Amino acid sequence: MSLTLRQVRYFVATAEIGQISQAAIHLNISQSAVTTAIKELEAMLAVQLFVRSAQGMNLTDAGRHFLNRAYVILRSVEDALNSPLPDYRASGVLHLAASYTVIGYFLPHHLQRLEHWHPDVTIELHEQERQAIEQGLLEGRFDMAVVLTANLTHPDIVSQTLFNSERRLWLPAHHPLCERTSISLADVAAEPFILLTVDEAEQSAMRYWEQAGQQPNVRVRTSSVEAVRSMVANGSGVAILSDLVHRPWSLEGKRIETLSLSDAVTPMSVGLAWHRERTFTPAMQALRAYFHDAFLAPQQHLARR
């Protein structure tokens, strides 16, 4: 029996979501298909990947090890399918600004790919807060930026959103809310809340809380995503954060569950930004073409089918 991408994808979905039924819904397939794929993997690897219980599917030590390898497999396939093939050999220096969240959870993988596809482009990366990024773009100190586009405010800054990352409720494993079929912000308001502040996350959060006519019961404010992750996993409170920064395990090895909310919660939008009067250099064109091909071109292709 040979390993298939179907098996790997079904395994990853189950590992991240923690329930076969929910993984099947996410994948838009039957539960039996997920169950069969996992059994095939376990037979092929001769190990048990999950401990099955009434609460869901928990990874074994072997399962956690294989999950890391599965991520590598899926990323390699994605690279092979989506890597742009440049029509020309761009060169030059690109001064690229980015915020904390973008640098920490999005850019490193793409910087590596950009270096591979455009070896003659030197990217000088600058980590800044949103206001400093806008000012740097206006003054010409930065050529382009990768930012949370919904936070941009200056009318002379042009942005192009690459993708939206849904914000979901983070809970510790076995939290009572995990048993609910529908969760609103009113339900969350009754729980101690861990509020992230970095990258204007607090301002973004308060907008959807106020829109729902609710107020979070803030227990801790922190600029550290890892602190939020650990506190949620340890049962100190719940949080609402984007899928971009979600990982199913805390640093202590405890599981973090995620659930969608019934109220409207604005997703995190990640994209490119530049001064509207800026003349694009070959290096800027290469960066924009890379991200267009990696994120927008596949969607446009699917839309045409």
Side-chain angles (χ1 to χ4, degrees), residues 166-167 184-185 205 207-209 211-212 261-267:
E166 294 298 322
R167 288 185 168 103
S184 67
L185 286 173
R207 284 196 289 270
Y208 58 73
W209 276 101
Q211 185 178 3
L261 292 156
S262 58
D263 291 296
V265 175
T266 308

Side-chain angles (χ1 to χ4, degrees), residues 26 55 59 257:
H26 173 74
Q55 287 72 38
L59 285 169
E257 307 289 351

Side-chain angles (χ1 to χ4, degrees), residues 25-208:
I25 292 172
H26 173 74
L27 294 164
N28 195 28
I29 57 172
S30 67
Q31 293 186 39
S32 61
V34 179
T35 301
T36 299
I38 292 172
K39 288 181 178 178
E40 290 172 350
L41 271 179
E42 290 181 325
M44 190 184 315
L45 298 170
V47 296
Q48 184 177 357
L49 298 173
F50 293 98
V51 174
R52 297 149 175 86
S53 69
Q55 287 72 38
M57 304 283 282
N58 296 312
L59 285 169
T60 62
D61 288 342
R64 282 190 286 272
H65 176 77
F66 185 71
L67 180 62
N68 291 330
R69 306 312 305 163
Y71 282 139
V72 173
I73 292 170
L74 294 181
R75 178 169 290 177
S76 297
V77 172
E78 179 190 0
D79 284 350
L81 294 176
N82 296 332
S83 292
L85 300 174
D87 297 328
Y88 64 95
R89 194 174 181 88
S91 62
V93 177
L94 178 72
H95 292 278
L96 182 68
S99 62
Y100 165 84
T101 302
V102 170
I103 287 182
Y105 297 92
F106 174 69
L107 262 187
H109 168 61
H110 296 289
L111 290 175
Q112 181 185 31
R113 293 177 69 186
L114 279 161
E115 182 179 359
H116 173 73
W117 288 106
H118 297 286
D120 295 331
V121 173
T122 301
I123 297 179
E124 298 288 345
L125 187 61
H126 307 267
E127 181 180 326
Q128 298 286 338
E129 295 182 355
R130 190 264 310 164
Q131 290 180 330
I133 289 175
E134 290 192 15
Q135 193 62 34
L137 290 172
L138 294 171
E139 295 174 355
R141 290 183 287 108
F142 306 140
D143 299 309
M144 300 184 77
V146 186
V147 293
L148 308 184
T149 53
N151 292 347
L152 295 170
T153 61
H154 200 284
D156 288 334
I157 301 299
V158 177
S159 65
Q160 180 179 40
T161 297
L162 299 171
F163 68 93
N164 294 310
S165 177
E166 294 298 322
R167 288 185 168 103
R168 305 182 201 272
L169 179 64
W170 290 19
L171 305 136
H174 313 304
H175 190 283
L177 287 179
C178 292
E179 306 299 323
R180 301 278 294 274
T181 57
S182 178
I183 302 173
S184 67
L185 286 173
D187 298 321
V188 180
E191 302 290 329
F193 195 79
I194 313 300
L195 183 62
L196 185 69
T197 60
V198 73
D199 267 356
E200 301 175 292
E202 182 171 359
Q203 295 91 318
S204 299
M206 294 314 300
R207 284 196 289 270
Y208 58 73

